[in-house]
Amino acid sequence: MKDDAYMREALAEAQAASSRKEVPVGAILVDSATGAIISRTGNAPIGICDPTAHAEILAIRDAAYKRGNYRLRGLTLYVTLEPCAMCAAAIANARIDRVVYGAGDVKGGAVDNGVQFFRQPSCHHTPQVLGGVLEGECGQILKDFFKARRKPKKSI
C-alpha cells in the first residue's frame, strides 16, 4: 500500500472517533517492512476520561503492548492531523522511524508548526516526516466536525 491508502485507513479511524463525538483524529502504525497494520485507533480523551488519549498515543501504546517492547523501530505512523508536542515526544521516545500526517495544525501542531519538536537539540530521536498527505480530506473532517458543534448565532 502507498501513503495515500494508509492515510485513508487513518481517516476511517478519524470518522469513527467523530461518530463517538471525539475530535476526529485517526492514527495507524504500520510495519514498514511487511506493510502490516500493527495498531489503529482514533482520539478518545472524552470516552475514556484521559487527556492523553490522543490517537497517536493510543496507537503507540497498543503497538508497544503487542510487540512486547516500548521501542517501535521499523514502524511508520500515519495520523490525520499534525502531532502535538505531547505526541511528538511519545513518537521520539518510541523511536518510530517515520511519521506521515495529513492536515497541518498551526495552533497545536509541533512537527512543522509550533515548537517543531523534532528540530530541537534536546530531541533524542528524529523520525522522517512527510506532511500534507490527503491534507484536504484530513482537514475537511475536522472543519465539518467543529462546524456542526458550533451553536448558530441568534439574530436580534
Side-chain angles (χ1 to χ4, degrees):
M1 285 171 63
K2 294 186 178 188
D3 289 339
D4 286 8
Y6 286 119
M7 189 60 75
R8 289 197 191 289
E9 295 289 327
L11 272 165
E13 295 301 321
Q15 187 61 51
S18 180
S19 70
R20 297 187 308 269
K21 308 264 191 276
E22 300 278 0
V23 174
V25 176
I28 65 168
L29 272 164
V30 175
D31 184 309
S32 301
T34 67
I37 296 174
I38 305 300
S39 64
R40 59 174 59 235
T41 190
N43 268 359
I46 298 166
I48 64 173
C49 298
D50 179 354
T52 69
H54 290 195
E56 301 96 307
I57 300 291
L58 296 174
I60 288 168
R61 286 178 185 162
D62 185 48
Y65 177 77
K66 286 175 179 173
R67 286 193 151 190
N69 192 337
Y70 69 105
R71 299 287 193 224
L72 300 176
R73 293 193 184 278
L75 299 187
T76 297
L77 173 70
Y78 291 86
V79 60
T80 58
L81 183 65
E82 178 182 354
C84 69
M86 174 183 69
C87 293
I91 290 163
N93 280 300
R95 306 297 200 276
I96 292 171
D97 288 345
R98 185 168 178 250
V99 176
V100 178
Y101 71 84
D105 186 355
V106 176
K107 277 187 173 180
V111 176
D112 289 320
N113 290 289
V115 299
Q116 300 178 352
F117 187 87
F118 300 130
R119 295 181 187 141
Q120 300 305 312
S122 58
C123 181
H124 51 273
H125 171 77
T126 304
Q128 293 177 357
V129 175
L130 175 63
V133 174
L134 300 183
E135 183 173 21
E137 293 175 54
C138 292
Q140 193 62 50
I141 193 172
L142 288 158
K143 289 175 188 171
D144 292 347
F145 176 81
F146 287 112
K147 183 178 180 182
R149 293 182 56 103
R150 285 189 205 108
K151 294 180 182 174
K153 295 179 182 177
K154 294 181 183 179
S155 58
I156 296 177

